[in-house]
Amino acid sequence: MSHKPRLTPMNDNVTLLSVTGSQYLSKKIATAYGQELGELEVARFNDGEMQPIIKQSVRGEYVFIIGSTFQPHDNLMEMLLTIDAARRASAGYICCVMPYFGYARQDRKDRPRVPISAKLIANLLVEAGADRIMTLDLHADQIQGFFDIPVDHLKSQAIYIPYFDTQDMSNVTFASPDMGGVKRARDYAKYYERNVVICDKYRKRAGEIAGMTLIGDVKGADVILVDDLVDTAGTLCRAADLIMERGAKSVRAIATHPILSGNAYEKIEKSALETLIVCDAVPLKQISPKIKVLSSAALFAKGIKKTHDNESISALFVG
């Protein structure tokens, strides 16, 4: 598959569009950017088929389509159809702003006869007509290599570090809830010059933890668990409980994408977690006294502006 880039935009205008499921965040991004969302209507046939209709001219313009592809699948399908609509309307440049990139956990063949779904989604986005992808905290950095177009992989450190800078970090130890997240925890530990501990888990099958051990000392520490997403919350809550059993003073967690399926909210509220801090890339299904939400809107608004102005986004990274 090869991507055929279109001509440079014929004008300097920017249109911000939003898929239906991400309106709650897109409106905040548009406000932070300084203009209103463009008009996008989604018509539906009786059988559920959707037809996005861009209600204004985008000919030759920079078009930024904002939408996370969390479940249901309508969010992904609407994104693909809107890209196609913008391409066929002669948009000059199409950037998909995807705060949460769905299917990112399926980035390799970890058993026989399974798809590499993240690669398939990347192919679909490029084939639909996307010229650029902007996303936040991919489950695995190498997913950027699945695309043959530029990918701006924004990091949530730019959201969390300013928040932590207002807190007392002198007694903090950072922790990874599994081996795969060690780099994320280490990035924070390096920035604050603190220690890192690791929770090593073993699964019998997907979604079921058989055992977990703690590598490192947390006695008397205020521990912050670092993860990119939380789904069933089983690993995160098990890690928090284990850390407190090993003598920690307190335990909090940050997890960029709050998928929170099944009885995740109940698990969190019953766990040793003091607070779970998340971003708004995925909307919460319910309010929880233990969950605090920080907005990613300003970060994406800056990313959109720098993309439009053809400037480096490296200034958006912290640490």
Side-chain angles (χ1 to χ4, degrees):
M1 183 187 66
S2 62
H3 179 69
K4 298 179 180 179
R6 292 186 300 283
L7 298 175
T8 301
M10 293 179 289
N11 62 57
D12 205 38
N13 294 339
V14 170
T15 294
L16 306 179
L17 300 174
S18 174
V19 303
T20 305
S22 292
Q23 287 274 345
Y24 72 98
L25 175 56
S26 302
K27 290 176 181 177
K28 290 189 285 185
I29 293 173
T31 298
Y33 185 77
Q35 72 178 54
E36 294 184 357
L37 288 174
E39 296 181 69
L40 179 67
E41 176 187 323
V42 181
R44 287 187 179 270
F45 294 89
N46 289 336
D47 65 352
E49 277 189 21
M50 63 182 73
Q51 183 186 57
I53 306 167
I54 301 171
K55 306 289 285 186
Q56 62 194 72
S57 175
V58 294
R59 182 177 294 272
E61 295 187 357
Y62 289 86
V63 176
F64 294 86
I65 305 171
I66 306 167
S68 289
T69 52
F70 51 85
Q71 296 301 321
H73 291 100
D74 281 10
N75 289 309
L76 172 60
M77 196 65 190
E78 188 178 335
M79 170 63 80
L80 293 170
L81 293 174
T82 304
I83 296 168
D84 188 67
R87 178 174 63 85
R88 295 176 188 278
S90 300
Y93 193 83
I94 300 171
C95 177
C96 297
V97 181
M98 305 175 71
Y100 173 67
F101 181 84
Y103 287 90
R105 287 174 283 182
Q106 299 182 50
D107 62 330
R108 63 196 182 280
K109 282 192 69 173
D110 56 357
R111 69 189 74 177
R113 297 174 296 280
V114 297
I116 303 179
S117 303
K119 172 59 176 170
L120 174 61
I121 300 303
N123 288 349
L124 290 171
L125 290 165
V126 173
E127 196 63 30
D131 294 295
R132 191 179 203 93
I133 303 294
M134 186 181 299
T135 190
L136 179 67
D137 279 5
L138 286 169
H139 187 63
D141 289 349
Q142 62 266 25
I143 291 173
Q144 296 171 80
F146 291 171
F147 291 90
D148 292 323
I149 57 175
V151 176
D152 293 325
H153 185 202
L154 304 182
K155 297 298 184 73
S156 60
Q157 284 96 318
I159 300 168
Y160 290 126
I161 285 178
Y163 170 77
F164 285 141
D165 283 346
T166 67
Q167 312 290 307
D168 179 8
M169 303 295 285
S170 61
N171 191 46
V172 164
T173 291
F174 288 95
S176 174
D178 54 36
M179 297 300 291
V182 173
K183 183 181 181 300
R184 283 186 289 269
R186 187 175 288 126
D187 287 343
Y188 283 95
K190 181 179 178 181
Y191 182 86
Y192 286 106
E193 298 181 341
R194 308 306 303 168
N195 293 328
V196 177
V197 299
I198 304 166
C199 297
D200 184 20
K201 68 182 178 184
Y202 167 72
R203 291 187 187 275
K204 285 183 177 178
R205 57 184 66 89
E208 183 179 333
I209 301 172
M212 180 178 285
T213 58
L214 182 66
I215 303 171
D217 182 20
V218 295
K219 190 172 183 180
D222 294 307
V223 178
I224 299 177
L225 282 156
V226 181
D227 212 346
D228 65 313
L229 64 84
V230 53
D231 188 352
T232 65
T235 298
L236 198 67
C237 292
R238 182 79 170 266
D241 293 344
L242 177 60
I243 286 168
M244 290 302 291
E245 290 170 9
R246 294 295 185 272
K249 182 179 177 182
S250 68
V251 59
R252 292 172 288 170
I254 55 175
T256 309
H257 305 302
I259 308 302
L260 299 176
S261 59
N263 62 343
Y265 287 90
E266 183 181 350
K267 288 179 185 176
I268 290 166
E269 289 173 13
K270 289 181 177 180
S271 74
L273 277 174
E274 185 178 290
T275 309
L276 169 62
I277 308 169
V278 299
C279 290
D280 53 0
V282 177
L284 294 183
K285 300 181 182 73
Q286 65 185 67
I287 301 299
S288 169
K290 283 194 173 185
I291 300 176
K292 178 180 179 65
V293 181
L294 301 181
S295 184
S296 59
L299 177 62
F300 280 107
K302 291 176 184 175
I304 291 170
K305 179 169 177 52
K306 286 185 176 294
T307 298
H308 171 250
D309 294 343
N310 207 26
E311 295 178 357
S312 170
I313 68 162
S314 61
L316 299 181
F317 291 89
V318 179

